[in-house]
Amino acid sequence: MTSGRGRAVARRSVRLRLGALAALLALGATGCAGGAATAPAAGPAVTATSASAAPTPELPAVLAASVPIRVQIPAIGVDSELMDLGLQADGTMEVPAGGFPAGWYTGAPTPGERGPAVLAGHVDWGGAPGVFAELRDVVPGDEITVSRADGSTAVFAVREVGQYDKDDFPTAAVYGDLDHAGLRVITCGGTFDELADSYRDNTVVFADLVPPA
Amino acid sequence: MASVPSTLSSPTRRPRRRGVAATSLVAVSTFGMLAGLTGTAQAATAVPLGGAEVYGVLGTTVTNTGTTTVAGDVGGTTRTGTGATGADSIVHTSGIDRGDIGDGQAGLTAAIADARRQGPATDVGTANLASSSPLGPGVYTSASDLALTGPLVLDGAGSYDSVFIFRAGESMTTASASTVTLMNGAQACNVFWEIDESATLGSGSTFRGTILAGTSITLDAGVTVDGRLLAGDSVTLISDTITRSGCQTGLVSPPTSTPVPTATPTGTPAPTATPTGTPAPTATPTGTTRRPTSYGQVGRVPVGSVDTGDGSTAQELSTTP
């Protein structure tokens, strides 16, 4: 028989999703990939702040879900709105139609929820720097501020900045589950491969939520 | 390549703010989509079932038609069609039949009282629960009826200890082929449906959790329930299947608070449309213990890299050999 469910009271915040993320924008394609087939977002619906006693370890505090609307990275002068990014027909992430604005991947948690939130934007476009032209200059300790639709703000502190060959993209590190609220900011980097019409690398900034008071 | 060489002309470094660690600009949102959701809301706790825990089916009167399979005891003072053999029979995958159901009824009464005490609760009203899917752990109530006419997903947010309590002041009805699906740590042992009057599950539907009904529980044909049917009065079954999945505690996966992408991650697999919660092996980050990666928080994992740049300002060009 099942047993062992007695537990200390846990303090949690509960979020109810009303299907607001069920539809994604169809974006004009850029660069290599054409088409903009979208996939329904199926991210988690809950943030849980746990302060229970043993046996479960205490999870870091996180925010409730809320659509991000603005990202600021003061250290490199970034201040951008955020558009929705879904998946293309081939399963790769959609990208914005131009150098600005930046976007957020709607299939991942909203920035501030537990888990890996993902932002992406162009390093350059149409002969001019894109929104994340200087993302490679971010260093650990820099702040990334994400403003959310419900009026709250999620502040992240950069932990790591890396440049990765696109053929060896760190999928697990970027999209794997976390016990806290994390943020990944992605743009292109490295040399530009003219035959492939693509940058060789992705620059990825890893940041963690500064715990809400 | 773990370094970040600059391929543009050296940019002017803008002045930076230092000492960001003390910054606390975050306002915890209290504007959830429904009133009553706050950062300090008390979570639902598992409803103790006492003497009712052993039962898969419990009622004063239990009536069955066709062959029904039950995990757990079947209790009823009056039982019809519940014999072990025959056209109308209940086959036990575990448990026994009981005629003395006093302890079970006492457990059910106490469980109903416990479920009613819990809160604070979110009012979901009589609307189709599927329209609110997915739902996280907590207490959900309707002053009158509860309804489910589609797929409902319960998301455990990465913890096997997440508890879901649904309460109806009157009755609950689920439609044919409706489903309740669990993900990300949600378990049937931690889902409770406290229905003051009657619960009716539509034909061919899938349901999960323990139903605590004041009056009756009626299943149409071909219903699958992972959990328990506990009623104060009658339980009616028609060729249904009652199962009992296991119950565990803790987090779904070991917390990987700092996946360290130092040094070139070698051979990192790129999962395509990984099912929720399926662990995928990951390259060992430098200096850390190898942990399996799960992807329960990202609904669909994008394939490969991100194409964010057209090279129009690239200083270094190359050609693929």
Side-chain angles (χ1 to χ4, degrees):
Chain A
M1 298 299 177
T2 59
S3 63
R5 294 194 310 277
R7 264 173 292 285
V9 169
R11 289 161 56 86
R12 299 168 195 260
S13 62
V14 176
R15 181 186 74 81
L16 183 65
R17 173 180 293 196
L18 296 178
L21 297 183
L24 297 181
L25 299 173
L27 302 176
T30 61
C32 305
T38 61
V46 165
T47 59
T49 303
S50 168
S52 61
T56 56
E58 181 168 337
L59 294 177
V62 296
L63 306 182
S66 182
V67 171
I69 57 178
R70 181 186 186 191
V71 61
Q72 295 165 281
I73 311 178
I76 56 170
V78 167
D79 187 349
S80 172
E81 294 181 338
L82 288 170
M83 61 181 299
D84 291 0
L85 301 176
L87 290 180
Q88 304 192 57
D90 62 357
T92 60
M93 194 188 304
E94 287 181 335
V95 293
F100 294 80
W104 71 288
Y105 177 49
T106 59
T110 63
E113 286 188 85
R114 195 175 319 278
V118 178
L119 307 182
H122 289 293
V123 68
D124 60 5
W125 197 262
V131 60
F132 287 152
E134 299 181 23
L135 192 68
R136 68 174 65 79
D137 294 328
V138 169
V139 298
D142 283 347
E143 263 187 2
I144 302 177
T145 298
V146 177
S147 305
R148 292 133 50 87
D150 62 8
S152 64
T153 303
V155 180
F156 299 85
V158 173
R159 174 174 46 79
E160 175 119 18
V161 180
Q163 185 166 309
Y164 306 94
D165 193 310
K166 283 185 176 177
D167 292 336
D168 216 356
F169 187 82
T171 296
V174 172
Y175 301 112
D177 288 347
L178 304 173
D179 70 339
H180 63 285
L183 183 67
R184 286 85 175 91
V185 185
I186 304 173
T187 193
C188 282
T191 62
F192 187 79
D193 186 329
E194 292 194 293
L195 288 185
D197 194 26
S198 170
Y199 277 96
R200 285 192 174 278
D201 302 330
N202 273 135
T203 298
V204 183
V205 171
F206 295 85
D208 302 319
L209 181 72
V210 176
Chain B
M1 293 176 259
S3 63
V4 191
S6 174
T7 56
L8 297 181
S9 56
S10 182
T12 303
R13 233 162 224 268
R14 292 181 177 75
R16 300 164 175 235
R17 263 191 297 158
R18 296 291 181 187
V20 300
T23 304
S24 56
L25 303 177
V26 176
V28 176
S29 167
T30 59
F31 296 104
M33 294 195 184
L34 292 182
L37 302 174
T38 69
T40 58
Q42 198 169 39
T45 58
V47 176
L49 300 176
E53 182 168 3
V54 296
Y55 292 93
V57 174
L58 172 65
T60 306
T61 303
V62 177
T63 306
N64 175 61
T65 308
T67 303
T68 290
T69 307
V70 175
D73 292 353
V74 173
T77 307
T78 304
R79 302 191 302 278
T80 306
T82 63
T85 60
D88 301 323
S89 62
I90 288 185
V91 175
H92 279 274
T93 57
S94 63
I96 60 174
D97 287 345
R98 293 177 185 268
D100 180 1
I101 57 172
D103 286 351
Q105 288 179 316
L108 173 59
T109 302
I112 289 175
D114 180 282
R116 286 183 180 156
R117 276 196 299 266
Q118 298 212 26
T122 301
D123 183 7
V124 292
T126 59
N128 178 16
L129 279 175
S131 65
S132 304
S133 183
L135 290 177
V139 184
Y140 304 93
T141 64
S142 168
S144 58
D145 296 334
L146 281 176
L148 178 65
T149 61
L152 171 65
V153 174
L154 302 181
D155 186 325
S159 171
Y160 290 121
D161 303 324
S162 294
V163 175
F164 305 76
I165 297 179
F166 297 86
R167 290 203 300 256
E170 293 181 9
S171 295
M172 173 175 74
T173 304
T174 74
S176 296
S178 62
T179 59
V180 177
T181 305
L182 309 176
M183 63 177 276
N184 215 7
Q187 304 182 93
C189 62
N190 285 332
V191 179
F192 302 89
W193 306 80
E194 189 272 305
I195 313 297
D196 281 7
E197 294 180 5
S198 303
T200 304
L201 306 186
S203 64
S205 61
T206 301
F207 200 79
R208 303 188 196 276
T210 296
I211 300 181
L212 310 164
T215 307
S216 65
I217 300 175
T218 303
L219 269 58
D220 290 344
V223 179
T224 302
V225 177
D226 178 1
R228 302 177 180 82
L229 308 172
L230 310 176
D233 191 355
S234 66
V235 179
T236 305
L237 307 169
I238 307 174
S239 301
D240 304 304
T241 305
I242 318 300
T243 62
R244 181 88 60 89
S245 57
C247 203
Q248 51 189 314
T249 62
L251 298 179
V252 171
S253 60
T256 51
S257 57
T258 56
V260 181
T262 56
T264 308
T266 54
T268 303
T272 54
T274 305
T276 303
T278 301
T282 185
T284 304
T286 303
T288 64
T289 305
R290 180 192 179 104
R291 301 174 189 268
T293 302
S294 63
Y295 296 89
Q297 293 162 340
V298 174
R300 281 184 58 187
V301 178
V303 171
S305 59
V306 187
D307 190 25
T308 39
D310 68 356
S312 54
T313 66
Q315 300 294 298
E316 292 184 28
L317 306 177
S318 65
T319 55
T320 311

